[in-house]
Amino acid sequence: MIKKILLLLLFCNAAFSQVVINELDPDTPSTDVLEFIELKSVTPNLPLDGYVLVFYNASSTSPYSGTASYYALDLDGYSTDVNGIIHFGNPQVSPTPAFLIPVTTIQNGPDAVGLYLGDATDFPIGTTAHANGLIDALANSNSASTQPTALMTILGLTTCVNENLNSLSASQSIQRKNDGTYEVKAPTPGMNNDGSGIVLTYLRLTTSTSRITEGQSLTVTFTSTSVVTGSDLVVYFSLNNGAFTIADYSGTTSVTIPVGGTVGSTTIQVLNDGTNEGDEEMKIVVGAVDSGYSLYNNNMIIRVNDINFVTLPFGTPVNPTYGLVTSTAPVGYYSSIEGLSGAALKQGLQDIIANPSVIHAHVYGDIYDILKVADQNPENSNQVWLIYNETPRSKIDYQTGNSIVGKWNREHIYCQSRGGFADATTNTPQGINVWNTYGTPGPDNISTGHADAHHIRAVDGQENSSRNNRNYAVDYNGPVGNPGTWKGDVARSLFYMAVRYNGLNVVNGNPVDTILGQIGDLTSLLQWNMTDISDDFEMNRNNYIYTWQLNRNPFIDYPDLADYIWGTKTTIPWHQNLSSQDFSKLQIVMYPNPAKNYIMISGIINEAKIEISSMTGLSVYVGNYKNNEQLNLNLAAGIYMVKVVEDNKSVIKKLIIQ
């Protein structure tokens, strides 16, 4: 029996070892639009099920630095061609790659890529390099003086190939020779590096669009690199993919390229079924093609947007509304903190929102289900709203594999590494009726913070990576050009975490990430809390999360609580009736106050009129104003009254000029 097992293992290793990394072109002209990687198998038409390509970054400036992975490509469902070749790369690579890798994904080096037995899910972004299941590897650089030494040691490599060996890194690629060594020369994607083999005619699949709405039509086209001879070439394909079935479309699912021609097309009509089933994806899967033809870019995904979405009666964070969504907090929920201030108020709030006999703690796997409702785009029920970018994205684009490009995932506002609850709960959903599986969810059980939805938001995958674990305001202020309408949301999430869990603090400045339980910047967050005031979107998510966790974020219900705990009112007793917002009046925040030579006003939707008067009633300024504009003033020191009128609402604020 032992001999049989040994023979089987030897056979398996021999079978897998016949696939190697044949060519790599990470540095290409312009903005790296011609990157590709190519594999070669000893046996033609070899299925690549069970393989995965993993790319590692050795740069110390990358978020995935040193010896960590930054991209993984699962090869299940792909096969090499009659020459044993298959390549994966950018859309502009010719012939069209079997799988399209987003532009600029493959990094120039010093880096490494490994071919493993496994799946992409075995290599989430940031996975430390290892040699378990490694079949082949290649270390690359574009400089003779720099090598990924640590990666080479882990992957068992003794050679790093310099793509810039001939000072032509943008126009040459790294290619494996038949003796197993490497050379650098002009790229040869989709063919043997030595020019041998069968000259193939390629079939390229294209569509008129990658995104379509119910009721619209889609053109599917196949193009041959050579004129069809002998008889017409007929290509058959299917479109079914999960919930997207033959009932969702009409049209012929075959394309004919006539003799003497190179192109054939068909039109598919996507049907509107009149019901909201959510966005879906059709998948164009081509069947077997005639011998002599090689098909690339199969399994093409086309987004199908459901036209029958539902809207909610309140605004998005960039077009906020106020007072349309009311708190679902039970009567008396905050009665125990009446008259408290400072540390006593903070403790009183914790007694409410961290009461272990009341709170339900869930797991990280539940968060996607929570966010699909809590962070739903009010203008389209099939989308979530992404924090930081402040844009919508389809719910079905949540990250399930390794790639973060075009995906949304879960952002910990109080980042995991700073909070000390990284990966503390399972990624397997348990559901709303299963809770407290990780012990009593009191204030000392920090693991609960890993899946506390009050500080987890839907976010663009790449922006999540960019934010990483940086402190707000002093280091991270969102992507370039963002409207900043997320800042108050972030502040209130962090205030919640600092009250909910012992050991978590919001501090001033830019604390280093090695100090557990500290995140900044408190001064900026207190200002953000007032300039980006709580709106209906936040109140709605607060209400929904309450149905899961049975606790609320009190700083959404009453934003001014932050000032009574950390701000300028720590010695003043807090009272609920003085903190309630009257939405029959214009809800604005004016800052700075006291001021010197300018003020700004937040909370205005349309253009407003402003009149500033002295205490004697003398008008000293009249003008129009748009939200968050800087209004420069030249006023003598003293007290003034500022009247703001927008539509049919108005408010008067006292202004102190120093």
Side-chain angles (χ1 to χ4, degrees):
M1 178 64 71
I2 294 176
K3 290 182 178 180
K4 289 182 178 179
I5 294 175
L6 181 58
L7 287 172
L8 179 60
L9 291 173
L10 289 173
F11 174 79
C12 290
N13 287 335
F16 284 118
S17 64
Q18 66 179 322
V19 186
V20 296
I21 298 171
N22 198 50
E23 187 171 358
L24 177 65
D25 194 1
D27 192 354
T28 71
S30 185
T31 53
D32 282 345
V33 296
L34 295 172
E35 304 165 330
F36 72 91
I37 185 169
E38 180 182 87
L39 302 181
K40 182 174 177 60
S41 63
V42 175
T43 303
N45 303 308
L46 181 73
L48 296 177
D49 296 337
Y51 289 96
V52 58
L53 277 168
V54 182
F55 296 81
Y56 294 105
N57 185 281
S59 171
S60 60
T61 61
S62 168
Y64 316 111
S65 60
T67 61
S69 66
Y70 67 89
Y71 188 71
L73 176 58
D74 200 300
L75 304 185
D76 288 352
Y78 296 98
S79 299
T80 59
D81 62 20
V82 68
N83 292 315
I85 296 291
I86 187 170
H87 68 288
F88 311 91
N90 299 159
Q92 293 186 32
V93 174
S94 181
T96 305
F99 178 88
L100 297 180
I101 297 176
V103 170
T104 73
T105 295
I106 303 177
Q107 300 177 12
N108 294 347
D111 293 318
V113 58
L115 176 65
Y116 289 84
L117 294 180
D119 297 300
T121 53
D122 299 328
F123 296 88
I125 293 175
T127 299
T128 301
H130 60 77
N132 299 330
L134 184 66
I135 301 302
D136 191 28
L138 172 63
N140 66 286
S141 180
N142 56 9
S143 170
S145 61
T146 56
Q147 296 187 354
T149 307
L151 280 170
M152 292 170 64
T153 300
I154 294 171
L155 301 177
L157 298 172
T158 58
T159 301
C160 175
V161 186
N162 177 16
E163 188 185 7
N164 199 36
L165 180 65
N166 303 319
S167 300
L168 296 170
S169 61
S171 58
Q172 294 189 334
S173 67
I174 299 169
Q175 300 180 33
R176 183 186 182 98
K177 296 193 294 185
N178 293 332
D179 62 4
T181 61
Y182 294 90
E183 61 182 338
V184 179
K185 62 179 185 178
T188 59
M191 62 186 69
N192 288 329
N193 296 335
D194 62 4
S196 64
I198 300 172
V199 178
L200 297 173
T201 297
Y202 291 95
L203 281 177
R204 182 182 182 186
L205 165 64
T206 58
T207 59
S208 55
T209 182
S210 61
R211 186 179 297 268
I212 192 171
T213 300
E214 288 181 341
Q216 297 178 338
S217 61
L218 173 76
T219 301
V220 179
T221 301
F222 287 91
T223 304
S224 171
T225 56
S226 299
V227 171
V228 173
T229 60
S231 60
D232 294 348
L233 174 64
V234 182
V235 184
Y236 297 93
F237 61 91
S238 64
L239 300 174
N240 292 6
N241 184 35
F244 188 86
T245 67
I246 193 172
D248 295 307
Y249 66 89
S250 63
T252 302
T253 55
S254 66
V255 168
T256 299
I257 303 178
V259 172
T262 59
V263 180
S265 300
T266 187
T267 299
I268 301 297
Q269 182 73 32
V270 178
L271 306 177
N272 177 13
D273 58 12
T275 61
N276 182 29
E277 301 169 317
D279 295 344
E280 298 175 307
E281 292 178 332
M282 72 165 69
K283 187 175 184 180
I284 304 177
V285 180
V286 183
V289 296
D290 289 356
S291 60
Y293 292 91
S294 182
L295 176 70
Y296 275 82
N297 67 307
N298 198 359
N299 305 311
M300 182 177 290
I301 297 292
I302 304 296
R303 169 60 44 77
V304 179
N305 296 324
D306 197 316
I307 201 172
N308 304 289
F309 57 80
V310 176
T311 60
L312 297 173
F314 56 87
T316 67
V318 294
N319 294 295
T321 57
Y322 306 91
L324 299 178
V325 181
T326 57
S327 171
T328 57
V331 175
Y333 188 77
Y334 293 108
S335 60
S336 60
I337 61 172
E338 283 291 312
L340 301 181
S341 62
L345 177 59
K346 181 180 178 183
Q347 183 60 56
L349 279 177
Q350 186 184 77
D351 293 341
I352 298 172
I353 66 174
N355 185 344
S357 65
V358 175
I359 308 307
H360 290 178
H362 296 85
V363 299
Y364 198 43
D366 291 319
I367 292 299
Y368 274 129
D369 290 332
I370 296 174
L371 295 183
K372 287 176 183 179
V373 179
D375 288 3
Q376 179 173 304
N377 176 16
E379 296 178 346
N380 187 328
S381 57
N382 298 324
Q383 301 172 337
V384 290
W385 189 265
L386 305 182
I387 197 170
Y388 306 145
N389 299 79
E390 297 290 58
T391 56
R393 184 160 298 164
S394 178
K395 290 180 178 179
I396 65 175
D397 284 328
Y398 69 97
Q399 184 180 345
T400 57
N402 186 269
S403 176
I404 60 176
V405 179
K407 302 296 183 181
W408 65 272
N409 53 30
R410 301 158 289 188
E411 162 73 325
H412 288 87
I413 303 300
Y414 204 116
C415 37
Q416 298 186 66
S417 59
R418 291 180 179 272
F421 40 73
D423 301 322
T425 64
T426 179
N427 206 31
T428 302
Q430 306 293 308
I432 192 171
N433 295 318
V434 179
W435 60 86
N436 299 359
T437 56
Y438 285 80
T440 303
D444 293 320
N445 187 354
I446 200 69
S447 66
T448 305
H450 181 240
D452 193 321
H454 281 304
H455 84 117
I456 304 177
R457 294 288 293 266
V459 65
D460 173 74
Q462 291 175 290
E463 193 57 37
N464 190 358
S465 173
S466 177
R467 188 258 161 151
N468 200 10
N469 63 356
R470 296 154 65 188
N471 292 298
Y472 291 102
V474 288
D475 189 10
Y476 180 76
N477 283 280
V480 175
N482 78 90
T485 47
W486 51 270
K487 293 182 174 180
D489 304 42
V490 160
R492 288 179 281 275
S493 292
L494 293 179
F495 296 155
Y496 163 86
M497 292 295 285
V499 170
R500 169 70 176 85
Y501 298 98
N502 291 332
L504 298 188
N505 301 282
V506 183
V507 301
N508 284 316
N510 191 16
V512 296
D513 56 10
T514 55
I515 302 178
L516 196 64
Q518 288 192 5
I519 196 168
D521 167 55
L522 176 59
T523 299
S524 300
L525 294 168
L526 287 169
Q527 181 177 340
W528 287 2
N529 181 47
M530 298 306 296
T531 56
D532 174 34
I533 60 179
S534 176
D535 56 23
D536 288 324
F537 183 89
E538 264 192 288
M539 185 63 75
N540 181 71
R541 83 182 308 272
N542 199 17
N543 290 344
Y544 183 70
I545 293 170
Y546 180 62
T547 66
W548 279 73
Q549 298 184 181
L550 296 191
N551 72 346
R552 301 184 64 81
N553 183 341
F555 300 98
I556 295 175
D557 291 333
Y558 298 103
D560 68 337
L561 281 167
D563 278 334
Y564 286 83
I565 296 175
W566 295 284
T568 59
K569 301 178 181 179
T570 56
T571 61
I572 302 174
W574 182 85
H575 293 284
Q576 185 172 343
N577 62 333
L578 299 178
S579 298
S580 299
Q581 301 184 67
D582 182 0
F583 290 100
S584 65
K585 296 182 179 180
L586 186 62
Q587 303 296 314
I588 66 166
V589 175
M590 182 175 66
Y591 63 98
N593 192 12
K596 291 185 178 180
N597 51 19
Y598 78 92
I599 60 172
M600 298 179 71
I601 298 175
S602 177
I604 294 172
I605 308 301
N606 303 306
E607 189 174 69
K609 292 184 178 180
I610 294 181
E611 181 176 4
I612 302 177
S613 304
S614 68
M615 293 302 292
T616 61
L618 177 66
S619 178
V620 296
Y621 175 84
V622 176
N624 295 329
Y625 185 84
K626 293 183 179 180
N627 193 52
N628 283 330
E629 285 185 340
Q630 180 170 307
L631 178 59
N632 295 319
L633 301 173
N634 184 21
L635 301 175
I639 299 176
Y640 298 82
M641 304 306 294
V642 180
K643 183 177 182 180
V644 183
V645 180
E646 180 189 4
D647 298 331
N648 61 344
K649 294 183 179 181
S650 65
V651 67
I652 297 177
K653 296 281 187 178
K654 182 169 69 175
L655 171 64
I656 300 175
I657 297 293
Q658 295 178 331

